[in-house]
Amino acid sequence: MAKFFITTAIHYVNGPPHIGHVYETIGADVLARHHRLRGDEVLFLTGTDEHGIKVQRKAAAEGVTPRALADRNSLKFQQAFDRLLISNDDFIRTTDRRHVRAVQRFWQAVETHGDIYDAKYEGWYCIQDENFVTEKEAKEIQEHPELGKTVEWQSEDAKFFRLSAFQGHVERLIEGQADFIRPENRRNEMVSSYLRPGLRDVCVSRTTLDWGIPVPNAPGHVVYVWFDALINYISAIGYGGDEEVFRRWWPADVHVIGKDIVKFHTALWPAMLHAAGLEPPRRVFGHGFLTVGGKKMGKTLGNVVDPLEIAARYGPEALRYGLLRENDFGGDGNYDADAIHTRYHSDLANGLGNLVNRTLSMLERYLYGCHHAQPELPEAETALLARFGALFARLDEMMDAFRFSQVLAEIWELIAALNKYIDDTKPWELAKAQKPDPRPRLHQIFATLAEGLRWTTAMVAPFLPDAAGKIWSVFHPGRPLEKWTFRQIAARGAIPDQTVLAKPPVLFPRVEKPSA
């Protein structure tokens, strides 16, 4: 059994989850679920990033401790992910004892390697990004208040990581491994904007705040939040605590992150790992940003979208489907409430839901709900089902490339084909005939529909896990979809002959459009 370790970035706890957080996490969840159906042993990790100046200041403004703020918002993320059907296997918090232990051990490994030194930091610091920035970057932030960022000049005694010493290592990794950074444009941006100008040493400790992990043997220093946060990917799998588990799962197969933090994950993180004697992750995927109604999302614009409000109105699967169908996951996208409403009714209710209802209702009406397995089917039906097999054969490649919108578009083409097949074969007219006996032909029609629906259900399950589970239970009661693999699902005739199928489940009830 192959192993598959997938992670999201850990989410900052200075505020509750918004639509951008869940976009990333839903994308990672879909791929994790797909790999489970492939028969892989999957570890899906997400979590919260809880240290740094933003959290310390936000807590002070609210009159609470940083830990209280972190506890409150970390719980909100966990509750949101549960509501949105996120199937993470672990949830790491950077305040966890296991993480603190791992960070301090990692620091000591890098320091022993000779790659941490003392110096004074003087320069600009972006509060929102928790990032040291150049004079040019600071000027851009100051000249563009619409970015919603601020910079401060800071001066403090600190410790630095010798990132510049790893220029060659990072270059060989990025330029020598074509799929290390995906999509391709992220790789090009990384090479032109960061590699070619040359990597600079990075300040990795702070002495002007105390909300952080103490640096070993350095009183007054706490670990810089990015050095701390990146280590979550290994602290969660046993680094510094359970080496057997760690060696089993590392390196990660893919880090799923926002495009703005690709530089940390593909330069700083591999250099840190190399300094500590560890392998880099196998792949980093930098997804695009979501706008809202075509505008940048922000509190000042009053357009921050609460994903739980959408889930409360349409159900979590409408949000999962709508976000990934409407947007190219690798590029920038847009959240549009009208599009979610339209997709819910046109694709989910009138497309998939209608197909399930029509098929099972007519099967019950004309054949008493009884499935009649067909060892052979006519040429037209065989050709129709071959289209499902053809998509099935390409599914792994498309999913691993995060081409979710394309996958969904092609699945819905097949759903439309099955609905058209019903319209063309007109089983309601056939059932009225007395001679010849219509039942053999009805058996063929409904066997074709059942087989097509099984394939559809399996392919759509990572996106719509609840709906897929309900449909699957009709065909295979007592054998939930989670117990199957794609190899088993692909076998024709998996529904036993003479199986009486249950009545159609209600999948996507009508929802009124909210008033403006």
Side-chain angles (χ1 to χ4, degrees), residues 49 51 94 99 103 212-213 223-232:
D49 183 1
H51 293 125
T94 56
H99 179 74
V103 169
I213 296 174
V223 179
Y224 168 50
V225 66
W226 267 108
F227 196 93
D228 159 7
L230 288 164
I231 296 169
N232 91 87

Side-chain angles (χ1 to χ4, degrees), residues 99-256:
H99 179 74
V100 173
R101 180 180 61 232
V103 169
Q104 292 180 327
R105 176 177 167 180
F106 190 94
W107 180 285
Q108 290 171 324
V110 175
E111 192 171 45
T112 300
H113 195 258
D115 293 308
I116 291 179
Y117 63 91
D118 293 310
K120 189 177 186 69
Y121 175 76
E122 285 190 328
W124 293 103
Y125 191 79
C126 177
I127 303 301
Q128 287 70 27
D129 292 345
E130 292 278 12
N131 184 26
F132 304 98
V133 297
T134 64
E135 187 77 32
K136 179 181 178 182
E137 291 169 329
K139 185 177 180 181
E140 182 178 357
I141 290 170
Q142 291 168 327
E143 291 176 350
H144 295 277
E146 70 275 10
L147 294 174
K149 298 179 180 182
T150 55
V151 290
E152 295 179 359
W153 182 266
Q154 297 189 353
S155 176
E156 60 186 311
D157 293 328
K159 293 180 181 291
F160 279 70
F161 173 60
R162 217 179 298 274
L163 179 59
S164 60
F166 296 89
Q167 175 84 26
H169 171 72
V170 174
E171 284 180 351
R172 287 190 293 274
L173 177 63
I174 293 175
E175 296 182 345
Q177 187 176 323
D179 63 346
F180 176 62
I181 305 175
R182 295 280 93 184
E184 178 70 16
N185 60 328
R186 305 279 179 258
R187 179 177 178 273
N188 296 339
E189 290 166 5
M190 187 63 197
V191 171
S192 62
S193 299
Y194 297 100
L195 277 188
R196 285 180 185 158
L199 299 177
R200 299 179 301 137
D201 291 355
V202 177
C203 177
V204 290
S205 81
R206 307 296 308 275
T207 54
T208 54
L209 73 155
D210 54 18
W211 180 237
I213 296 174
V215 172
N217 306 312
H221 288 256
V222 296
V223 179
Y224 168 50
V225 66
W226 267 108
F227 196 93
D228 159 7
L230 288 164
I231 296 169
N232 91 87
Y233 302 125
I234 59 175
S235 67
I237 55 171
Y239 179 83
D242 190 330
E243 285 300 307
E244 183 178 349
V245 173
F246 172 66
R247 295 295 173 187
R248 173 174 173 75
W249 285 105
W250 191 256
D253 290 280
V254 61
H255 293 323
V256 182

Side-chain angles (χ1 to χ4, degrees), residues 301-313:
L301 296 175
N303 65 347
V304 174
V305 177
D306 181 354
L308 296 185
E309 289 184 6
I310 305 152
R313 174 171 290 274

